[in-house]
DNA sequence: GTCGCCTATGTCCAACATGACATATTTCGC
DNA sequence: GCGAAATATGTCATGTTGGACATAGGCGAC
């Protein structure tokens, strides 16, 4: 299909592509989960490197130990927002975060 | 204060540091917001580059045009989760994401 | 002009994430 | 092994985020 026509159809809200389109959602869900996992691991690494307990970090975040535990486990019930806030709170730099995100990508390749 | 002692106190849940400690929260909130903003901008850039309308992207996400609009505006009511999912759905690579995150950092320096 | 199309903004209420708490389970020094 | 500290897991009420819808604003083509 011509590129221009494809874009026109897509602009209209239609998904033009392979018949495996419906699989996309789950594929992207996986990518998302891996990303979350990578960043969750980042939280743990950084926390430990700082010599903080989960409770101490929770205190800093105004959260609770249980939530930090779930966070590091990349539990379904914890949002990326919380993970990211935690990373920033522990003092992660943009470079650190970028590193972990790329790690997620490389993990996929395996 | 000795590094080891400091860590011991922190393990116990105490925040040891400068008296401006209480400012930390808002500082980190700012960092977080800038990050969100940078990624939101990323969504818009990538969407436009793909020639998609907000409605089309919403369709792909199983969301609605209004949410995409709010998302690109980094509205308070949209989470980083949604932004990240969108980025992945549009086909952002880890490298892209890392780039935008770093952009947030550089923006801070200004 | 006005007609389409795209984007922005506001408001519902259902679904989900949150901190808090209680309670396992693991880990580690002794 | 014991005990204490750290971490893991479950549940709940309350606040936040979600898609949906309505509607307003913007912008180019005609």
């Amino acid at each position: 299909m011509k590129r221009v026509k494809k874009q026109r159809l897509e602009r209209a809200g239609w998904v033009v592509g392979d018949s495996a389109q419906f699989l996309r959602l789950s594929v992207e869900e996986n990518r998302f989960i891996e990303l979350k996992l990578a960043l969750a691991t980042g939280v743990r690494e950084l926390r430990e490197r700082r010599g903080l307990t989960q409770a101490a970090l929770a205190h800093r975040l105004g959260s609770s130990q249980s939530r930090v535990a779930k966070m590091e486990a990349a539990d379904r019930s914890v949002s990326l927002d919380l993970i990211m806030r935690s990373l920033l709170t522990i003092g992660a730099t943009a470079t650190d975060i970028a590193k972990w995100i790329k790690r997620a990508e490389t993990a996929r390749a395996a």
Side-chain angles (χ1 to χ4, degrees), chain A:
Chain A
M1 192 180 295
K2 285 275 184 57
R3 191 160 176 274
V4 177
K5 174 158 188 194
K6 185 163 172 241
Q7 285 206 348
R8 275 191 66 176
L9 286 172
E10 284 177 336
R11 287 177 76 78
W14 301 108
V15 176
V16 182
D18 44 318
S19 55
Q21 193 70 55
F22 73 98
L23 285 178
R24 279 260 300 262
L25 210 117
S26 56
V27 167
E28 265 130 31
E29 189 61 17
N30 270 346
R31 284 228 293 156
F32 181 69
I33 289 172
E34 292 206 28
L35 196 122
K36 222 165 112 172
L37 201 64
L39 292 176
T41 305
V43 171
R44 167 155 291 166
E45 274 186 22
L46 207 46
R47 175 179 65 80
E48 289 179 343
R49 202 184 308 159
R50 296 264 188 281
L52 293 171
T53 66
Q54 290 183 343
L57 173 56
H59 179 83
R60 284 203 190 185
L61 288 168
S63 182
S64 57
Q65 178 268 326
S66 57
R67 202 127 282 283
V68 173
K70 288 177 224 262
M71 183 164 69
E72 294 185 351
D75 189 285
R76 300 185 80 268
S77 85
V78 348
S79 71
L80 203 55
D81 294 56
L82 189 60
I83 295 179
M84 204 58 100
R85 280 176 206 275
S86 303
L87 283 173
L88 296 177
T89 298
I90 316 183
T93 66
T95 310
D96 291 330
I97 298 173
K99 185 184 70 187
W100 285 310
I101 288 180
K102 291 201 180 175
R103 187 182 295 178
E105 189 171 58
T106 351
R108 271 202 78 64

